[in-house]
mmCIF file of all heavy atoms in Angstrom:
data_model
loop_
_atom_site.group_PDB
_atom_site.id
_atom_site.type_symbol
_atom_site.label_atom_id
_atom_site.label_comp_id
_atom_site.label_asym_id
_atom_site.label_seq_id
_atom_site.Cartn_x
_atom_site.Cartn_y
_atom_site.Cartn_z
ATOM 1 N N GLY A 18 2.836 10.545 1.618
ATOM 2 C CA GLY A 18 1.720 9.743 1.225
ATOM 3 C C GLY A 18 1.273 8.810 2.381
ATOM 4 O O GLY A 18 2.060 8.022 2.853
ATOM 5 N N GLY A 19 -0.017 8.883 2.763
ATOM 6 C CA GLY A 19 -0.524 8.247 3.839
ATOM 7 C C GLY A 19 -1.589 7.234 3.478
ATOM 8 O O GLY A 19 -2.192 6.576 4.446
ATOM 9 N N GLU A 20 -1.764 6.856 2.211
ATOM 10 C CA GLU A 20 -2.723 5.878 1.882
ATOM 11 C C GLU A 20 -2.411 5.258 0.452
ATOM 12 O O GLU A 20 -1.984 5.953 -0.385
ATOM 13 C CB GLU A 20 -4.153 6.561 1.774
ATOM 14 C CG GLU A 20 -4.266 7.853 0.939
ATOM 15 C CD GLU A 20 -5.494 8.542 1.070
ATOM 16 O OE1 GLU A 20 -6.453 8.186 1.867
ATOM 17 O OE2 GLU A 20 -5.666 9.489 0.269
ATOM 18 N N VAL A 21 -2.666 3.970 0.366
ATOM 19 C CA VAL A 21 -2.391 3.191 -0.849
ATOM 20 C C VAL A 21 -3.457 2.138 -1.040
ATOM 21 O O VAL A 21 -4.089 1.629 -0.108
ATOM 22 C CB VAL A 21 -0.975 2.543 -0.776
ATOM 23 C CG1 VAL A 21 0.093 3.592 -0.640
ATOM 24 C CG2 VAL A 21 -0.912 1.559 0.360
ATOM 25 N N THR A 22 -3.552 1.706 -2.229
ATOM 26 C CA THR A 22 -4.218 0.470 -2.560
ATOM 27 C C THR A 22 -3.411 -0.407 -3.540
ATOM 28 O O THR A 22 -2.646 0.246 -4.321
ATOM 29 C CB THR A 22 -5.617 0.663 -3.271
ATOM 30 O OG1 THR A 22 -6.403 -0.531 -3.179
ATOM 31 C CG2 THR A 22 -5.527 1.379 -4.581
ATOM 32 N N GLY A 23 -3.500 -1.642 -3.421
ATOM 33 C CA GLY A 23 -2.649 -2.522 -4.265
ATOM 34 C C GLY A 23 -2.900 -3.935 -3.838
ATOM 35 O O GLY A 23 -3.824 -4.331 -3.223
ATOM 36 N N ARG A 24 -1.829 -4.799 -4.184
ATOM 37 C CA ARG A 24 -1.921 -6.284 -3.878
ATOM 38 C C ARG A 24 -0.791 -6.685 -2.991
ATOM 39 O O ARG A 24 0.311 -6.201 -3.075
ATOM 40 C CB ARG A 24 -1.989 -7.065 -5.165
ATOM 41 C CG ARG A 24 -3.316 -6.783 -6.014
ATOM 42 C CD ARG A 24 -3.421 -7.845 -6.988
ATOM 43 N NE ARG A 24 -4.648 -7.690 -7.858
ATOM 44 C CZ ARG A 24 -5.883 -8.117 -7.515
ATOM 45 N NH1 ARG A 24 -6.026 -8.871 -6.463
ATOM 46 N NH2 ARG A 24 -6.915 -7.877 -8.278
ATOM 47 N N THR A 25 -1.153 -7.590 -2.158
ATOM 48 C CA THR A 25 -0.091 -8.267 -1.309
ATOM 49 C C THR A 25 0.531 -9.386 -2.143
ATOM 50 O O THR A 25 0.069 -9.796 -3.157
ATOM 51 C CB THR A 25 -0.734 -8.815 -0.054
ATOM 52 O OG1 THR A 25 -1.695 -9.859 -0.427
ATOM 53 C CG2 THR A 25 -1.349 -7.827 0.797
ATOM 54 N N PRO A 26 1.723 -9.957 -1.655
ATOM 55 C CA PRO A 26 2.374 -10.956 -2.379
ATOM 56 C C PRO A 26 1.522 -12.246 -2.661
ATOM 57 O O PRO A 26 1.729 -12.948 -3.555
ATOM 58 C CB PRO A 26 3.548 -11.267 -1.506
ATOM 59 C CG PRO A 26 3.884 -10.111 -0.758
ATOM 60 C CD PRO A 26 2.424 -9.434 -0.574
ATOM 61 N N ASP A 27 0.560 -12.485 -1.799
ATOM 62 C CA ASP A 27 -0.343 -13.614 -1.969
ATOM 63 C C ASP A 27 -1.627 -13.245 -2.787
ATOM 64 O O ASP A 27 -2.567 -14.065 -2.911
ATOM 65 C CB ASP A 27 -0.778 -14.229 -0.677
ATOM 66 C CG ASP A 27 -1.591 -13.246 0.262
ATOM 67 O OD1 ASP A 27 -1.737 -12.057 -0.206
ATOM 68 O OD2 ASP A 27 -1.927 -13.588 1.396
ATOM 69 N N GLY A 28 -1.590 -12.048 -3.434
ATOM 70 C CA GLY A 28 -2.551 -11.698 -4.301
ATOM 71 C C GLY A 28 -3.897 -11.002 -3.736
ATOM 72 O O GLY A 28 -4.842 -10.684 -4.537
ATOM 73 N N ARG A 29 -3.867 -10.774 -2.453
ATOM 74 C CA ARG A 29 -5.071 -10.114 -1.936
ATOM 75 C C ARG A 29 -5.022 -8.660 -2.302
ATOM 76 O O ARG A 29 -4.060 -7.944 -2.274
ATOM 77 C CB ARG A 29 -5.088 -10.181 -0.410
ATOM 78 C CG ARG A 29 -5.351 -11.585 0.157
ATOM 79 C CD ARG A 29 -5.430 -11.658 1.678
ATOM 80 N NE ARG A 29 -3.998 -11.337 2.231
ATOM 81 C CZ ARG A 29 -3.728 -10.272 2.992
ATOM 82 N NH1 ARG A 29 -4.798 -9.482 3.464
ATOM 83 N NH2 ARG A 29 -2.596 -10.125 3.522
ATOM 84 N N ARG A 30 -6.267 -8.081 -2.613
ATOM 85 C CA ARG A 30 -6.376 -6.607 -2.932
ATOM 86 C C ARG A 30 -6.708 -5.964 -1.627
ATOM 87 O O ARG A 30 -7.736 -6.248 -0.985
ATOM 88 C CB ARG A 30 -7.421 -6.484 -4.006
ATOM 89 C CG ARG A 30 -7.436 -5.076 -4.585
ATOM 90 C CD ARG A 30 -8.246 -5.013 -5.928
ATOM 91 N NE ARG A 30 -8.388 -3.715 -6.355
ATOM 92 C CZ ARG A 30 -9.593 -3.061 -6.584
ATOM 93 N NH1 ARG A 30 -10.790 -3.741 -6.237
ATOM 94 N NH2 ARG A 30 -9.660 -1.821 -6.891
ATOM 95 N N VAL A 31 -5.861 -4.924 -1.202
ATOM 96 C CA VAL A 31 -6.142 -4.227 -0.019
ATOM 97 C C VAL A 31 -6.007 -2.761 -0.246
ATOM 98 O O VAL A 31 -5.401 -2.241 -1.187
ATOM 99 C CB VAL A 31 -5.061 -4.665 1.082
ATOM 100 C CG1 VAL A 31 -5.318 -6.146 1.432
ATOM 101 C CG2 VAL A 31 -3.667 -4.276 0.736
ATOM 102 N N ALA A 32 -6.552 -2.013 0.743
ATOM 103 C CA ALA A 32 -6.307 -0.611 0.880
ATOM 104 C C ALA A 32 -5.793 -0.295 2.268
ATOM 105 O O ALA A 32 -6.338 -0.952 3.305
ATOM 106 C CB ALA A 32 -7.617 0.245 0.641
ATOM 107 N N ALA A 33 -4.767 0.667 2.446
ATOM 108 C CA ALA A 33 -4.225 0.659 3.741
ATOM 109 C C ALA A 33 -3.763 2.153 4.043
ATOM 110 O O ALA A 33 -3.452 2.849 3.108
ATOM 111 C CB ALA A 33 -2.918 -0.197 3.770
ATOM 112 N N MET A 34 -3.924 2.541 5.318
ATOM 113 C CA MET A 34 -3.394 3.861 5.786
ATOM 114 C C MET A 34 -2.067 3.581 6.476
ATOM 115 O O MET A 34 -1.839 2.598 7.108
ATOM 116 C CB MET A 34 -4.323 4.371 6.808
ATOM 117 C CG MET A 34 -5.777 4.782 6.331
ATOM 118 S SD MET A 34 -5.576 6.409 5.445
ATOM 119 C CE MET A 34 -5.131 7.453 6.841
ATOM 120 N N ILE A 35 -1.147 4.530 6.189
ATOM 121 C CA ILE A 35 0.132 4.452 6.776
ATOM 122 C C ILE A 35 0.580 5.930 7.212
ATOM 123 O O ILE A 35 -0.078 6.910 6.769
ATOM 124 C CB ILE A 35 1.251 3.954 5.863
ATOM 125 C CG1 ILE A 35 1.039 4.692 4.403
ATOM 126 C CG2 ILE A 35 1.113 2.439 5.677
ATOM 127 C CD1 ILE A 35 2.004 4.267 3.467
ATOM 128 N N GLU A 36 1.545 5.987 8.101
ATOM 129 C CA GLU A 36 1.963 7.280 8.529
ATOM 130 C C GLU A 36 2.690 8.023 7.418
ATOM 131 O O GLU A 36 2.409 9.250 7.165
ATOM 132 C CB GLU A 36 2.921 7.192 9.769
ATOM 133 C CG GLU A 36 3.267 8.500 10.297
ATOM 134 C CD GLU A 36 4.225 8.419 11.609
ATOM 135 O OE1 GLU A 36 4.364 7.198 12.010
ATOM 136 O OE2 GLU A 36 4.628 9.425 12.082
ATOM 137 N N ARG A 37 3.524 7.412 6.670
ATOM 138 C CA ARG A 37 4.320 7.965 5.529
ATOM 139 C C ARG A 37 4.664 6.824 4.562
ATOM 140 O O ARG A 37 4.507 5.667 4.947
ATOM 141 C CB ARG A 37 5.626 8.694 6.053
ATOM 142 C CG ARG A 37 5.506 9.542 7.200
ATOM 143 C CD ARG A 37 5.662 11.004 6.832
ATOM 144 N NE ARG A 37 5.229 11.891 7.875
ATOM 145 C CZ ARG A 37 5.822 12.213 9.012
ATOM 146 N NH1 ARG A 37 6.986 11.710 9.197
ATOM 147 N NH2 ARG A 37 5.337 12.921 9.911
ATOM 148 N N GLY A 38 5.128 7.194 3.395
ATOM 149 C CA GLY A 38 5.727 6.241 2.545
ATOM 150 C C GLY A 38 4.890 5.817 1.348
ATOM 151 O O GLY A 38 5.223 4.855 0.590
ATOM 152 N N GLY A 39 3.623 6.355 1.120
ATOM 153 C CA GLY A 39 2.659 5.957 0.215
ATOM 154 C C GLY A 39 3.118 6.296 -1.270
ATOM 155 O O GLY A 39 2.549 5.587 -2.199
ATOM 156 N N TYR A 40 3.881 7.276 -1.467
ATOM 157 C CA TYR A 40 4.212 7.690 -2.890
ATOM 158 C C TYR A 40 5.361 6.828 -3.324
ATOM 159 O O TYR A 40 6.481 7.259 -3.424
ATOM 160 C CB TYR A 40 4.702 9.150 -2.907
ATOM 161 C CG TYR A 40 3.679 10.227 -2.691
ATOM 162 C CD1 TYR A 40 2.488 10.038 -2.194
ATOM 163 C CD2 TYR A 40 4.103 11.575 -2.920
ATOM 164 C CE1 TYR A 40 1.545 11.118 -2.032
ATOM 165 C CE2 TYR A 40 3.242 12.632 -2.830
ATOM 166 C CZ TYR A 40 1.912 12.409 -2.313
ATOM 167 O OH TYR A 40 1.177 13.446 -2.081
ATOM 168 N N ALA A 41 5.017 5.559 -3.650
ATOM 169 C CA ALA A 41 6.125 4.533 -3.927
ATOM 170 C C ALA A 41 5.515 3.386 -4.626
ATOM 171 O O ALA A 41 4.250 3.178 -4.624
ATOM 172 C CB ALA A 41 6.777 4.125 -2.628
ATOM 173 N N GLU A 42 6.342 2.691 -5.285
ATOM 174 C CA GLU A 42 5.883 1.429 -5.994
ATOM 175 C C GLU A 42 5.575 0.267 -4.998
ATOM 176 O O GLU A 42 4.661 -0.481 -5.265
ATOM 177 C CB GLU A 42 6.982 0.935 -7.022
ATOM 178 C CG GLU A 42 7.164 1.843 -8.221
ATOM 179 C CD GLU A 42 8.145 1.338 -9.110
ATOM 180 O OE1 GLU A 42 9.260 0.929 -8.711
ATOM 181 O OE2 GLU A 42 7.860 1.207 -10.312
ATOM 182 N N ARG A 43 6.236 0.285 -3.926
ATOM 183 C CA ARG A 43 6.029 -0.806 -2.774
ATOM 184 C C ARG A 43 6.085 -0.119 -1.429
ATOM 185 O O ARG A 43 6.846 0.854 -1.241
ATOM 186 C CB ARG A 43 7.000 -1.898 -2.981
ATOM 187 C CG ARG A 43 6.747 -2.746 -4.146
ATOM 188 C CD ARG A 43 7.874 -3.823 -4.312
ATOM 189 N NE ARG A 43 9.071 -3.217 -4.873
ATOM 190 C CZ ARG A 43 9.167 -2.944 -6.193
ATOM 191 N NH1 ARG A 43 8.177 -3.152 -7.027
ATOM 192 N NH2 ARG A 43 10.262 -2.362 -6.617
ATOM 193 N N VAL A 44 5.266 -0.634 -0.526
ATOM 194 C CA VAL A 44 5.291 -0.100 0.829
ATOM 195 C C VAL A 44 4.888 -1.132 1.772
ATOM 196 O O VAL A 44 4.140 -2.121 1.429
ATOM 197 C CB VAL A 44 4.257 1.133 0.896
ATOM 198 C CG1 VAL A 44 2.816 0.650 0.682
ATOM 199 C CG2 VAL A 44 4.358 1.797 2.164
ATOM 200 N N ALA A 45 5.505 -1.180 3.026
ATOM 201 C CA ALA A 45 5.144 -2.086 4.037
ATOM 202 C C ALA A 45 4.157 -1.422 4.900
ATOM 203 O O ALA A 45 4.382 -0.286 5.423
ATOM 204 C CB ALA A 45 6.371 -2.443 4.839
#
């Protein structure tokens, strides 16, 4: 998984590209 959308701990809604790790409940 290389892409996610969700919220940061401070409530911001973001969309992000990553190398791996997107198929998860949480990702850095």
Side-chain angles (χ1 to χ4, degrees):
E20 50 186 9
V21 297
T22 189
R24 292 193 181 273
T25 61
D27 60 2
R29 290 181 296 122
R30 191 163 172 244
V31 299
M34 289 284 297
I35 49 179
E36 185 177 356
R37 310 251 164 83
Y40 290 12
E42 290 181 310
R43 284 172 285 282
V44 63

